[in-house]
Amino acid sequence: MSQSPRPLFSPARHGAQRDRMARLPASGNFLAPIIAETLLDRLTMVTRDFAHTLLIGAHDAALVDHLRATGSELTIVEAGPRLAAANGAIAVEADAIDLPFGSFDLILWPGGLDSVNDVPGALVRLRALLAPDGLLLGAFLGDGSLPRLRRATMADGVRSIARLHPQIDLAAMGNLLQRVGFTMPVVDVEALTVRYGDWFALVRDLRAAGLSSRLAPAPPPLTREEAARIAAAFAADADPDGRVAESFRLVHFSGWAPHPDQPQPARRGSGTASLADALKPQD
């Protein structure tokens, strides 16, 4: 009898991390308003109303207030139990949402897809929750993010232990959306550069944004000497002014639940123009 694979991420650590993040000043999470603004901008490009919205994550009070002000019936799910209780949300991990199929015509997920244990399963579940012609719109920290931090954690004298999360790239995300049944998938990246005076400032930002490690089992705490070595290696990447430019790559994605009235790709071989003629040199 085969055993289930051990989960990569700890739901208990995730929930505690989310609740801790909610106790920090909202201004400390610089990524939340950037993601929310981008998602809402993209939403304004869709010329239709959404009567039933599911929001994954209750950490951004401004985004919650905005969605409620639209008149859409808003349901929120949140992994942090205390954060969920404070916002009238359902306390559940994103890959374990148990709500009636076809209940929503809009699902917003402003961060977190990259750190669920079952990414395809989470997307399949969200696809089932959408009504026909429903829209999934989200973002997460993608492949190529935090290169200087990753390099610093591999400094000499630091134990070679997994401390940072694996990352999803654009191509994999686009293929995954198609595989689980979304139509008209769109995936793109927004590159952000943030300059830090030291490694400790970056760590504070990651904690405030709920992006610290939730790997299972938890890696052993850094010793004082290891932390000093990581801080020194991070500082070695500084520009002449002494600040380190760290990169965040926000992957934005969207996909639609199928509907007969959606645009369909042309049938293969149905074109009327000849490729050979198009490639002929012009006189």
Side-chain angles (χ1 to χ4, degrees):
M1 182 175 178
S2 62
Q3 294 182 336
S4 299
R6 187 166 59 183
L8 179 61
F9 302 108
S10 164
R13 291 188 71 201
H14 184 205
Q17 187 183 88
R18 298 282 300 179
D19 284 341
R20 183 174 62 249
M21 177 184 68
R23 295 194 296 269
L24 298 173
S27 59
N29 185 356
F30 78 93
L31 280 176
I34 294 173
I35 292 175
E37 182 179 5
T38 303
L39 292 182
L40 293 175
D41 283 348
R42 294 175 185 225
L43 203 52
T44 61
M45 302 177 192
V46 182
T47 56
R48 57 169 287 189
D49 295 324
F50 297 99
H52 304 282
T53 298
L54 174 65
L55 174 63
I56 302 176
H59 60 284
D60 189 341
L63 178 59
V64 171
D65 290 345
H66 178 93
L67 293 173
R68 284 181 171 148
T70 65
S72 178
E73 181 182 329
L74 181 63
T75 300
I76 309 172
V77 296
E78 168 57 54
R82 292 183 180 177
L83 183 55
N87 289 273
I90 301 168
V92 66
E93 289 282 340
D95 55 354
I97 298 172
D98 186 15
L99 293 170
F101 290 171
S103 298
F104 305 98
D105 42 21
L106 173 64
I107 298 177
L108 289 180
W109 194 351
L113 171 66
D114 55 312
S115 53
V116 297
N117 280 307
D118 184 3
V119 173
L123 291 174
V124 168
R125 194 174 292 264
L126 298 186
R127 162 68 186 81
L129 291 175
L130 282 172
D133 205 30
L135 172 63
L136 168 66
L137 190 60
F140 60 88
L141 205 62
D143 185 43
S145 296
L146 304 173
R148 288 164 178 79
L149 173 60
R150 290 180 178 275
R151 200 156 50 234
T153 59
M154 295 185 289
D156 290 340
V158 179
R159 284 165 292 177
S160 181
I161 297 170
R163 298 185 182 278
L164 300 179
H165 295 180
Q167 298 175 338
I168 304 172
D169 66 19
L170 270 71
M173 187 62 199
N175 292 335
L176 193 51
L177 287 170
Q178 289 184 313
R179 279 173 44 206
V180 302
F182 285 97
T183 63
M184 299 181 287
V186 176
V187 182
D188 59 75
V189 65
E190 176 184 5
L192 302 174
T193 299
V194 183
R195 305 182 77 242
Y196 289 98
D198 55 42
W199 171 66
F200 301 99
L202 171 59
V203 170
R204 285 193 295 271
D205 267 3
L206 294 179
R207 287 177 175 168
L211 295 173
S212 49
S213 175
R214 62 189 69 145
L215 295 173
L222 292 167
T223 66
R224 183 172 298 181
E225 182 181 354
E226 286 177 318
R229 288 179 179 273
I230 291 175
F234 187 76
D237 266 336
D239 295 329
D241 65 355
R243 303 185 72 81
V244 180
E246 186 58 288
S247 299
F248 294 77
R249 288 171 56 83
L250 294 177
V251 175
H252 299 276
F253 64 93
S254 64
W256 295 82
H259 188 276
D261 293 339
Q262 289 173 347
Q264 301 296 318
R267 179 175 55 84
R268 185 178 178 85
S270 62
T272 58
S274 164
L275 178 60
D277 288 343
L279 296 177
K280 285 181 181 178
Q282 302 297 313
D283 294 333

